[in-house]
Amino acid sequence: MTTTASLRHGDVTTGQDLPKLSVQVTATTVVLGALASRDWRPMHHDYDFAVNRQGTQDIFLNTPNQAAWFERYLTDWTGPLGRLGTMTFKMQDSVFPGNTMVMTGSVTDTSVDAAGVGWVDVDISLMADDRTCTTCTARVAVPTNDDDNPWSRRGDQWNPRGD
Amino acid sequence: MIELADVPPDVLDLVGAYQYEIDGGFPVEHGYIWTTCASVENGNPLFWDDAVAAEVTDGPIAPPTMLSVWFRPHHWSPGLEEPAVPLQAHFDLKEQLSLPEAIIADNTITFHDPVRIGDRIRSRQVLRSISEPKTTKLGTGRFWVLDVEYLNQHDAIVGVETYTAFGYTREGVEGASA
C-alpha cells in the first residue's frame, strides 16, 4: 500500500485517548447537515417550528448528521484505511446553534479476530458546552501491517459483530 | 399491575420474516457524498481523491454512515401521496401488541460491503425477537429487536441497522398516544 497516512493496529493501546475535536455550531451547520442527509423535517431548519411547535430552544443537529460527524472524527484519527465496523448511539440531549460541540474518545479494547482483522473499540462522547448530548460506541478496523487493507475484506473475512 | 396479552400467533410468525422491501429512490451519487463530507468537514481522501479511492477501495465509495440517506424520499415528487414511514414494522408492532408508547432503547449500525457510486440500494425490515413481558421505570411492556437490512443490486448486504425498542403501557394511563 502506498497510502501510508493511516494508523496501524500495533500503534493503539487500550485507554489511549483520541485527539479532541471542537466545532462551533451555527445555524448553517445544522441546516447543511439536515439537507445533506435528506432530512426535511422542520425542526432541523425552521426556528419558529422548533421553538413554538416543538418547544426546543432552537433548531438542532439531526441524528444521521451526528453519525457523519462521528465517522469523520474516527477517520481523522485512523486515516483512510480505517474501516467502520459498527456504531451504536445513545441520544441524550440536543446540539443547537451557538453551542461549541466537542468530541472526545478513548480506546476501550483492541483485538485481532480469526480472519486477521485488527479491531479497535472506541467510546466517543459528543458534548455541547457542558451537556453530554450523544454517546457512541464504535468498532473500527485498522491495518495490522503494511500489507493489510481492511477495505479488501469481504464475506467471511469481514465480521464486525463477531457473530 | 398491567397484564399483557399473549403475543398473537400471526405476530410470532413475523419473527424472521422479511417485510417492507423498499427500493431507494435514486442511485447513489457523488454530489450527496461531497455535500455530506462538506457538512462535517470530512477531508478523508477516499471521498475526494479518485487515485486514493482506486487504490484503497477499488473506486469511489460513499461514507458508510450515509446508509440511510439513500432511502429518504424526495420532499416532493410527482404523484407522491403519503410518504412511507421509516421502521413501519415497529409501528405495526405497537398496534398489534396494544402497546401505545415506545422508545428506541438502542440503535446499532453494522457496516458491510461498501456502497459505491451508482449502486441501487434497497432495504427490508425483519423482526428478530419479542421479549417476555417486562416492567421498567417507563411502564410494563415488551422489548423487540428489529433489523433494517440494506442490500445493493447484487444482493450483497451493505449494512444493517438494529433497533432495540421497548413498547409499553404506562400504569394508570388508558389509550395514551404514541
Side-chain angles (χ1 to χ4, degrees), chain A residues 1-3 29 32-33 35-40 64-65 67-69 71-72 75 80-81 83-90 149 151 154 158 160-161, chain B residues 26 32 35-36 39-42 44-47 55-57 61 63-65 69 72-75 105-114 116 162:
Chain A
M1 301 295 297
T2 58
T3 306
T29 315
L32 177 58
L35 298 190
S37 51
R38 299 175 52 78
D39 187 343
W40 326 117
N65 195 239
W69 277 108
E71 178 176 353
R72 176 257 164 119
T75 56
L81 289 173
R83 179 180 176 186
L84 273 175
T86 63
M87 208 179 243
T88 300
F89 302 96
K90 290 195 188 305
N149 175 6
W151 289 103
R154 295 286 184 279
W158 181 252
R161 299 190 70 152
Chain B
F26 57 97
Y32 264 112
T35 303
T36 294
S39 76
V40 297
E41 301 168 21
N42 184 350
N44 188 335
L46 279 185
F47 313 122
E55 180 188 359
V56 176
T57 54
I61 63 167
T65 55
V69 171
R72 297 217 172 79
H74 302 305
H75 185 58
D106 191 88
N107 175 19
T108 296
I109 314 172
T110 305
F111 305 100
H112 291 278
D113 282 9
R116 298 181 180 279
T162 301

Side-chain angles (χ1 to χ4, degrees), chain B residues 13-110:
Chain B
D13 287 346
L14 293 174
V15 175
Y18 293 119
Q19 303 181 73
Y20 298 109
E21 287 221 28
I22 301 168
D23 284 316
F26 57 97
V28 173
E29 50 135 302
H30 222 149
Y32 264 112
I33 293 170
W34 286 321
T35 303
T36 294
C37 288
S39 76
V40 297
E41 301 168 21
N42 184 350
N44 188 335
L46 279 185
F47 313 122
W48 298 96
D49 185 329
D50 285 348
V52 173
E55 180 188 359
V56 176
T57 54
D58 294 327
I61 63 167
T65 55
M66 289 187 72
L67 211 49
S68 64
V69 171
W70 315 114
F71 284 86
R72 297 217 172 79
H74 302 305
H75 185 58
W76 178 91
S77 60
L80 181 71
E81 294 176 4
E82 290 294 318
V85 178
L87 270 189
Q88 183 63 56
H90 166 75
F91 292 99
D92 291 349
L93 276 172
K94 287 175 63 179
E95 194 170 315
Q96 290 160 329
L97 299 176
S98 302
L99 297 171
E101 310 286 347
I103 58 152
I104 301 293
D106 191 88
N107 175 19
T108 296
I109 314 172
T110 305

Side-chain angles (χ1 to χ4, degrees), chain A residues 18-50:
Chain A
L18 278 64
K20 182 168 80 173
L21 174 66
S22 182
V23 179
Q24 189 62 43
V25 177
T26 67
T28 303
T29 315
V30 175
V31 174
L32 177 58
L35 298 190
S37 51
R38 299 175 52 78
D39 187 343
W40 326 117
R41 292 176 298 166
M43 59 279 225
H44 302 305
H45 64 261
D46 183 336
Y47 176 86
D48 182 63
F49 181 94

